[in-house]
Amino acid sequence: MSNPIHHALVLNLHQPPGNLQELLDQHSWEPHEILYAMDRIPRSLWGYEDVGRVHLSFSGTLLETLVDPHFQSRVYGVVDCGAMLWHFQNTALFRILGTGFYHPVLPLIPEADREEQVRRWLGMARHVFWRSDFQGFWPPEMGFAMELIPLLRRLGFRYVLVDSDHVEPVTAMDWHELRYRPHIARHNGEEIIVVVRDRELSDAQESGMELAWFLNEVEARTRWCDFAPLVTTATDGDNGGWFRNPQPEANFWGLYRALLEQTRAGGAVQPVFIDDYLDRYGAHGEVRVGTGAWNTGWHHGHGFMQWTGSQAQKDALERLRTLSKAVHDARWKAGERRLEDPETLALLEQAMWRLLRAETSCHYYWGEAWVPRALNDMRASEAALEKIVARLGE
């Protein structure tokens, strides 16, 4: 009997700070399409709890918007945000992946801010999704570097998603084993399981495909596996016409439900939660993961050129590094001097969250177009920092 082919579906859901609100103010149809695309996810899976298995990454900025009472009231006739978030608590259908709150490309931001980003996301996600166990981690933009491993392990993550273009074997292994089996990556004495996203199949998932093509392609790619392969596809779940199209026969969820029907009928491809696969089959072999991101519409992800290609982008990221050090130094000194009055604490929080929001990947993604948004947040952080420094008497 041949090994079953396991499929892990991963969807990233992110909206930049204030983006949905701005689109609503412009009386655009786009925020409705985005909200419908998100609301369609649980609705498409009702009745498929026996076979449906979906991993979701929600950025903190998106969650912040969806739980905001004012925003909820504005879109109530479109989508019931509270009910939608409640549906995502269904552990039979969904695994929620950890991420960074403000959706930063983690290797590009100061090391001291990486933990702040993830801890803030954990704080909100535990409340919204009523769970404390987040085994998997989704690096925003799949931006990964080996130096992140100790942090992720310290924060309790079991595995991290990485892109296939950046994975290199340390242990000798064939191409199909490298791509369709989880592995171990090590850095500075810490190790984590890496789960490899198939870039080409993910591209097809993003742009639209037929089920017969997907099944044939998966079977062809895993034909030589002498183990139970794990095929992982990961894309945005709320962008692009394939996910926003409301017609079941012309969107991703029509295809996915057809896949689930085939699974019920004994088909070769079986949707799976990654943690369940790891519990059963474990991870094999050691790999290195090169520093990089997933592919975008403009770039292959190597070297983070999408976010660092212009001088304005580079200058803003350098300013972030300087500001981050100043904010963390001020917080440390305020703690040493036991400055714990409400106003000082409020200023410290203002300086910190505006710094973290300035690190949002979207501010750098669009060339120089959105860099001013990052600079606005940095100026607000610097203004709060000046008041803190005055209180410190420096």
Side-chain angles (χ1 to χ4, degrees):
M1 181 178 178
S2 61
N3 289 307
I5 303 171
H6 297 284
H7 175 227
L9 172 62
V10 182
L11 297 177
N12 172 56
L13 302 172
H14 164 62
Q15 289 296 314
N19 191 56
L20 289 175
Q21 295 90 328
E22 289 179 20
L23 291 172
L24 284 172
D25 292 340
Q26 297 165 9
H27 304 289
S28 166
W29 178 249
E30 189 176 6
H32 294 188
E33 290 184 322
I34 294 169
L35 290 168
Y36 287 147
M38 289 188 286
D39 192 54
R40 193 175 297 122
I41 298 172
R43 293 178 183 276
S44 298
L45 294 169
W46 289 346
Y48 288 100
E49 285 81 1
D50 56 326
V51 287
R53 303 289 183 265
V54 181
H55 305 78
L56 297 173
S57 168
F58 289 85
S59 69
T61 53
L62 174 58
L63 291 177
E64 198 171 45
T65 296
L66 295 178
V67 302
D68 176 58
H70 178 65
F71 179 81
Q72 290 185 354
S73 67
R74 289 189 69 183
V75 300
Y76 185 74
V78 179
V79 165
D80 184 338
C81 295
M84 178 176 67
L85 290 171
W86 183 79
H87 293 316
F88 286 126
Q89 293 179 14
N90 186 342
T91 57
L93 289 171
F94 301 114
R95 290 290 188 270
I96 307 299
L97 302 173
T99 191
F101 192 98
Y102 290 102
H103 201 264
V105 180
L106 288 168
L108 291 180
I109 69 172
E111 184 177 355
D113 297 343
R114 297 168 187 171
E115 185 166 349
E116 290 282 344
Q117 292 276 3
V118 179
R119 285 196 179 278
R120 285 177 184 242
W121 183 89
L122 285 169
M124 171 164 278
R126 287 166 179 155
H127 172 72
V128 172
F129 298 112
W130 282 81
R131 67 187 75 178
S132 58
D133 182 25
F134 301 96
Q135 293 194 33
F137 188 80
W138 172 263
E141 310 286 7
M142 294 201 86
F144 185 77
M146 295 285 281
E147 65 199 52
L148 296 175
I149 293 173
L151 169 64
L152 298 180
R153 290 298 299 133
R154 185 167 69 251
L155 295 178
F157 294 104
R158 182 184 187 186
Y159 68 87
V160 60
L161 277 297
V162 299
D163 187 77
S164 58
D165 246 35
H166 306 301
V167 184
E168 303 173 353
V170 174
T171 304
M173 62 184 78
D174 293 326
W175 177 89
H176 55 269
E177 186 175 8
L178 180 66
R179 185 167 291 207
Y180 300 122
R181 214 171 196 180
H183 308 290
I184 300 295
R186 296 184 172 93
H187 185 78
N188 284 354
E190 296 287 347
E191 64 180 44
I192 197 167
I193 297 171
V194 296
V195 174
V196 182
R197 171 214 191 218
D198 187 298
R199 178 175 283 203
E200 293 78 29
L201 290 177
S202 297
D203 287 346
Q205 175 177 296
E206 181 178 40
S207 58
M209 58 187 178
E210 294 182 352
L211 179 60
W213 177 90
F214 177 73
L215 294 174
N216 289 336
E217 191 70 15
V218 167
E219 290 183 22
R221 286 168 173 256
T222 61
R223 180 174 301 155
W224 305 110
C225 295
D226 58 357
F227 53 90
L230 176 65
V231 178
T232 303
T233 56
T235 64
D236 287 339
D238 57 347
N239 290 321
W242 179 234
F243 281 92
R244 293 188 187 181
N245 193 319
Q247 300 302 320
E249 67 277 6
N251 69 26
F252 171 79
W253 295 106
L255 176 142
Y256 192 68
R257 284 202 300 267
L259 172 63
L260 298 182
E261 292 291 350
Q262 290 215 6
T263 300
R264 282 176 170 170
V269 177
Q270 301 179 7
V272 70
F273 287 134
I274 293 170
D275 57 293
D276 288 342
Y277 179 95
L278 294 174
D279 288 344
R280 183 173 180 181
Y281 298 107
H284 299 266
E286 183 177 352
V287 297
R288 281 186 301 269
V289 184
T291 299
W294 63 357
N295 51 312
T296 68
W298 296 271
H299 200 266
H300 47 60
H302 296 270
F304 301 121
M305 287 296 293
Q306 182 78 45
W307 298 271
T308 63
S310 75
Q311 192 58 48
Q313 290 167 310
K314 292 183 177 72
D315 290 345
L317 290 168
E318 183 58 37
R319 184 170 173 179
L320 269 178
R321 284 185 276 274
T322 302
L323 176 58
S324 174
K325 184 178 186 308
V327 171
H328 285 276
D329 286 349
R331 188 164 68 165
W332 181 266
K333 291 174 183 176
E336 280 186 324
R337 301 184 188 183
R338 299 185 181 279
L339 294 179
E340 298 175 348
D341 59 284
E343 188 169 350
T344 299
L345 294 177
L347 287 169
L348 287 168
E349 173 60 14
Q350 174 78 359
M352 180 59 72
W353 80 260
R354 295 301 289 261
L355 163 69
L356 298 177
R357 197 173 77 169
E359 296 168 350
T360 300
S361 68
C362 305
H363 293 160
Y364 309 91
Y365 180 88
W366 303 105
E368 300 182 5
W370 278 26
V371 170
R373 300 185 182 217
L375 298 178
N376 286 338
D377 273 328
M378 283 188 260
R379 282 191 285 269
S381 179
E382 289 162 350
L385 185 61
E386 286 179 6
K387 296 178 181 179
I388 297 167
V389 170
R391 285 172 169 264
L392 292 171
E394 299 181 359

